[in-house]
Amino acid sequence: MQEEQLQRVREFLDEYEIREREQRQVLRREVLTIAERDAAISAAVRTAILGSIPSIGWSIYASVRSSWPAGFAVLFAPLCFVVPFVIIAAGAGVFGGLFAHWWFAESTISVRSAAVATALLADAVLLFWVVMLSI
């Protein structure tokens, strides 16, 4: 009787260790996934903000070139265009990072590279619309 109880206790402990190991692996995978998502969002936001510089430059150039008074255009255009474009670019970066994580998380393509690519695509679309609306 004693041997059977010890055997059952050992089996229970073995099963418990296996479950604990599986839970640790699941938690480790979740932590790595969250870290990868955060890194992708961070890279995409930085890329999108830096990529919005041509749009800001073109907007300032178009406002100076237009019929605005020169002093007013130089002072007001950065306030009018920098803040909204940075907000739009940051939002596009966050969305691009989340999209890249969602789409490329289980693929061979790097999530960070995909996030940077989506951010650059968003910047290209922003520049296209800025150019088209300023013509």
Side-chain angles (χ1 to χ4, degrees):
M1 187 72 168
Q2 195 73 310
E3 285 292 319
E4 289 177 11
Q5 288 178 347
L6 287 175
Q7 183 65 26
R8 278 190 264 152
V9 168
R10 284 185 199 122
E11 289 174 3
F12 176 77
L13 288 176
D14 289 341
E15 290 175 8
Y16 180 76
E17 287 177 20
I18 291 170
R19 275 186 265 135
E20 284 293 316
R21 195 175 316 126
E22 288 174 355
Q23 287 178 348
R24 281 193 300 267
Q25 288 175 349
V26 167
L27 286 174
R28 182 179 297 130
R29 200 173 322 126
E30 286 179 12
V31 166
L32 291 175
T33 301
I34 290 170
E36 184 180 48
R37 183 197 66 203
D38 292 345
I41 290 172
S42 169
V45 167
R46 280 182 291 181
T47 303
I49 289 174
L50 288 175
S52 68
I53 292 173
S55 299
I56 294 169
W58 183 269
S59 299
I60 292 172
Y61 168 74
S63 67
V64 168
R65 192 184 66 176
S66 68
S67 61
W68 288 10
F72 180 73
V74 169
L75 292 176
F76 183 68
L79 294 175
C80 184
F81 298 118
V82 171
V83 174
F85 285 158
V86 167
I87 291 172
I88 290 169
V94 169
F95 179 76
L98 289 173
F99 175 76
H101 174 71
W102 173 73
W103 191 268
F104 297 103
E106 299 295 327
S107 72
T108 58
I109 298 172
S110 167
V111 174
R112 192 174 199 160
S113 300
V116 168
T118 57
L120 290 174
L121 182 63
D123 286 331
V125 170
L126 178 65
L127 181 62
F128 171 77
W129 279 109
V130 167
V131 170
M132 294 310 287
L133 292 176
S134 67
I135 292 181

